[in-house]
Amino acid sequence: MDVQDVHGWLVKFLDEVSDSFQKLPGSSIFLRYVKSSYQNDPVRSGIELFLCLFAVRYLLAPAYSTQKKSYVTLSDEEVDELVEEWTPEPLVAPLSAFEEAENEKRPVIVGPTGPKSKLSNGRTVTNLASYNYYNFIANETLKEKAIQTLRTYGVGPCGPPNFYGTQDVHMKTEADIAAHIGAAACIIYAQAFSTISSVIPAFSKRGDIIVADRAVNYMVRKGIQISRSTVRWYDHNDLEDMQRVLERVVKEQAKKPLTRRFIVTEGLFENVGDMVDLPKIIELKHRYKFRLILDESWSFGVLGRTGRGITEHQNVDAAEVDMIVGSLAGPLCAGGGFCVGSDEIVEHQRISSAAYTFSAALSAMLATTASETINLLQTSPDILTQSRDNIKTMWAQLDPRSDWVRCTSAIENPMMLLVLKPEVVSQKRLSVAEQEMLLQDVVDECLTNGILITRLKSMPRASNAKEAHWEPQPALKVCVTTGLSRKEIERAGITIRHAITKVVKARK
């Protein structure tokens, strides 16, 4: 067969194929589409042809399993042997002998934790171990509002805020807090502890820089740990050391890729009780171009003429602080926490903050209570005035008159922390554990005389334990309340001072 015969046969074959194809329904439409698309866009036709061939190849490919076993198969006897040999690590450290003895003597309150509380043994004591600073627990108006809200909304929303958990009372509480502090926007959380520990990792990630005070509380430390950021610590409330740390960070990062940088501190320090110098920190923040995360869990509702916190107390515009985090529990007698800042900062948390997106929303009853207590602080500033008068009365009985302890808290702080004076510690040669035991004896002696106080019980350090090199000094914790008269505060202060003297003198 010569070339002409082959060509003739091929032309005849193609004509027969074309005639057969044209007899198919819709063939003319397909041919017209291919011609027009190829003429206008031949690349598109090529891609479509490739995809058609790939689809045909995929459909004709043999089936295969994606669950290939790449592990060693063990017999039942081997599995049982491994299970018997495995010893799980304890979730918490075992209790020490001191902790066990403390638990056995721990007082149990029956009923509400008011200024006068009834214990399970039937005794009624003066309660100076509660954060009920303004005795809002006994406020009948708040009780009626809470009951009314409970009957209207139920116990809880039973869903995360972004999944049918947000109610109108939550939005009102956010607006009330933002207006009270003077911020652009606010977001509320269901738990105070998880607020700051979620806000920090929502913004600071691995590779970012955090400059933090060594004395920050356990909630802050947990947030720093979760963020996995690089941490630089500065000495407690030492702004000169803080400036040195900031300068060193700026120099280290000068030739590196740009990272986010944060300063993290507290308004009132939980472990010491003293106050931050916010204007100076804001000055340093602007100078070295850092963002500021301020934890006001212990200062919101306490400092300022209307309880707005450290910003009101030190005449600082709240907009100067990038993020202000606070608690709605404690003095406000509600629950949950909040973060205020710009609209962008708040909206970012609604989709990226773990405690907000993965936790049930705050109970409507607690949200309403928070709004009502904030309104009380705004409309009745004499509440804060009475609280500070009682604090001064307690100070007069303890700090200047006692030869054994001194108060490390700020004069405006209703949570007074009493530590042993350095000369007492050196004279008695007391270790940290011995100081804890001595102060616990003071607590027991006060309880015997009808005054309930407690010790500062700080949680373990959560991040960079080797780098922080800071531990809170053992301290007594005395919480002053407006639910007691001035005479009752004086008597309680005298009782505490005499108990300290008795216990310390007995220590040889």
Side-chain angles (χ1 to χ4, degrees):
M1 183 180 292
D2 56 12
V3 176
Q4 292 182 350
D5 295 335
V6 173
H7 180 267
W9 178 84
L10 183 60
V11 170
K12 182 180 180 180
F13 175 76
L14 291 176
D15 290 339
E16 292 177 354
V17 171
S18 176
D19 293 339
S20 300
F21 180 76
Q22 290 177 359
K23 294 178 181 179
L24 295 175
S27 59
S28 60
I29 298 175
F30 176 77
L31 289 174
R32 188 165 59 251
Y33 169 76
V34 171
K35 290 179 181 179
S36 61
S37 64
Y38 178 80
Q39 180 180 1
N40 297 329
D41 191 357
V43 176
R44 175 184 172 184
S45 299
I47 293 175
E48 289 180 350
L49 178 62
F50 172 77
L51 292 177
C52 290
L53 296 176
F54 178 79
V56 172
R57 170 68 179 82
Y58 181 78
L59 293 175
L60 297 179
Y64 61 93
S65 175
T66 59
Q67 299 179 353
K68 295 182 180 180
K69 296 183 179 180
S70 59
Y71 53 86
V72 178
T73 303
L74 300 177
S75 64
D76 293 340
E77 291 79 8
E78 291 173 326
V79 171
D80 293 338
E81 183 179 353
L82 289 174
V83 171
E84 290 178 359
E85 292 177 354
W86 180 69
T87 302
E89 295 184 4
L91 295 177
V92 295
L95 294 177
S96 63
F98 172 65
E99 291 172 331
E100 290 180 352
E102 182 185 3
N103 285 339
E104 292 177 0
K105 298 183 293 183
R106 192 182 305 275
V108 178
I109 296 176
V110 178
T113 56
K116 299 288 185 180
S117 299
K118 185 177 181 180
L119 303 183
S120 57
N121 58 11
R123 293 184 59 198
T124 299
V125 297
T126 299
N127 188 356
L128 297 178
S130 168
Y131 300 130
N132 181 32
Y133 300 149
Y134 311 123
N135 198 25
F136 283 153
I137 288 178
N139 189 296
E140 294 299 327
T141 303
L142 292 177
K143 290 181 182 179
E144 292 175 4
K145 275 283 187 180
I147 293 172
Q148 181 182 353
T149 306
L150 181 63
R151 289 173 176 169
T152 303
Y153 294 89
V155 177
C158 300
N162 290 332
F163 196 74
Y164 308 109
T166 299
Q167 298 170 315
D168 56 349
V169 291
H170 297 129
M171 300 173 70
K172 180 181 183 302
T173 301
E174 290 179 348
D176 290 343
I177 296 172
H180 181 54
I181 295 179
C186 172
I187 181 174
I188 59 174
Y189 290 75
Q191 188 186 32
F193 182 93
S194 61
T195 303
I196 184 66
S197 59
S198 293
V199 170
I200 294 175
F203 293 93
S204 185
K205 310 293 183 181
R206 186 190 298 274
D208 296 332
I209 308 294
I210 292 178
V211 175
D213 191 299
R214 294 187 190 275
V216 291
N217 60 53
Y218 182 70
M219 300 181 291
V220 176
R221 290 179 178 273
K222 204 63 181 175
I224 293 174
Q225 180 191 32
I226 296 172
S227 73
R228 300 176 297 177
S229 303
T230 302
V231 188
R232 297 288 184 265
W233 302 95
Y234 64 90
D235 294 338
H236 171 58
N237 253 350
D238 187 344
L239 296 184
E240 291 183 359
D241 185 53
M242 176 186 179
Q243 185 172 352
R244 285 193 293 269
V245 173
L246 294 176
E247 289 176 351
R248 186 164 65 248
V249 169
V250 171
K251 290 180 181 179
E252 291 175 353
Q253 300 295 317
K255 298 182 180 180
K256 296 182 180 179
L258 185 64
T259 60
R260 288 166 292 199
R261 305 169 188 177
F262 298 90
I263 297 172
V264 180
T265 187
E266 294 183 73
L268 282 177
F269 288 87
E270 177 187 0
N271 292 323
V272 185
D274 56 353
M275 191 183 308
V276 72
D277 186 353
L278 188 57
K280 180 62 175 177
I281 286 186
I282 289 179
E283 177 190 338
L284 294 175
K285 153 185 133 65
H286 288 305
R287 183 187 304 174
Y288 296 100
K289 296 180 174 58
F290 276 69
R291 295 181 177 93
L292 175 59
I293 301 177
L294 178 64
D295 182 20
E296 290 216 65
S297 296
W298 300 99
S299 54
F300 180 72
V302 171
L303 298 179
R305 190 183 66 85
T306 59
R308 282 167 46 196
I310 190 76
T311 54
E312 182 181 31
H313 180 72
Q314 297 186 351
N315 297 317
V316 174
D317 185 0
E320 293 286 341
V321 183
D322 299 278
M323 282 161 271
I324 298 178
V325 181
S327 170
L328 300 176
L332 298 187
C333 290
F338 68 87
C339 177
V340 299
S342 65
D343 292 321
E344 294 78 10
I345 284 175
V346 168
E347 292 306 316
H348 175 75
Q349 294 176 63
R350 297 194 191 279
I351 59 174
S352 64
S353 180
Y356 186 83
T357 56
F358 300 114
S359 297
L362 181 66
S363 167
M365 178 180 64
L366 296 177
T368 301
T369 302
S371 291
E372 292 298 320
T373 51
I374 289 173
N375 182 60
L376 284 174
L377 293 176
Q378 288 177 323
T379 57
S380 305
D382 57 303
I383 296 175
L384 290 158
T385 303
Q386 182 184 355
S387 172
R388 286 158 192 163
D389 290 341
N390 283 359
I391 295 171
K392 292 178 182 178
T393 301
M394 182 64 78
W395 264 77
Q397 296 300 325
L398 293 176
D399 195 341
R401 295 193 178 184
S402 176
D403 296 329
W404 316 104
V405 296
R406 64 182 181 89
C407 183
T408 61
S409 299
I411 188 63
E412 299 86 358
N413 192 351
M415 182 176 68
M416 298 176 61
L417 298 182
L418 305 173
V419 302
L420 294 171
K421 292 182 177 180
E423 56 268 24
V424 176
V425 175
S426 59
Q427 180 183 357
K428 302 281 184 180
R429 297 180 181 178
L430 299 173
S431 64
V432 173
E434 289 172 335
Q435 292 179 57
E436 295 280 10
M437 289 187 287
L438 187 146
L439 295 178
Q440 183 59 43
D441 290 340
V442 174
V443 172
D444 296 338
E445 179 65 24
C446 289
L447 184 59
T448 302
N449 291 281
I451 305 297
L452 178 61
I453 62 173
T454 185
R455 292 184 295 109
L456 173 65
K457 300 172 183 178
S458 59
M459 301 297 289
R461 290 180 296 192
S463 64
N464 292 346
K466 294 181 179 179
E467 187 177 343
H469 296 303
W470 190 89
E471 287 285 1
Q473 184 178 353
L476 294 172
K477 183 187 291 186
V478 179
C479 299
V480 182
T481 175
T482 60
L484 298 174
S485 65
R486 180 175 180 178
K487 290 293 183 184
E488 290 174 319
I489 292 290
E490 286 180 351
R491 285 197 296 268
I494 292 172
T495 301
I496 296 171
R497 188 177 77 246
H498 289 173
I500 294 172
T501 301
K502 179 180 178 180
V503 171
V504 175
K505 282 187 174 181
R507 173 80 184 189
K508 297 181 180 179

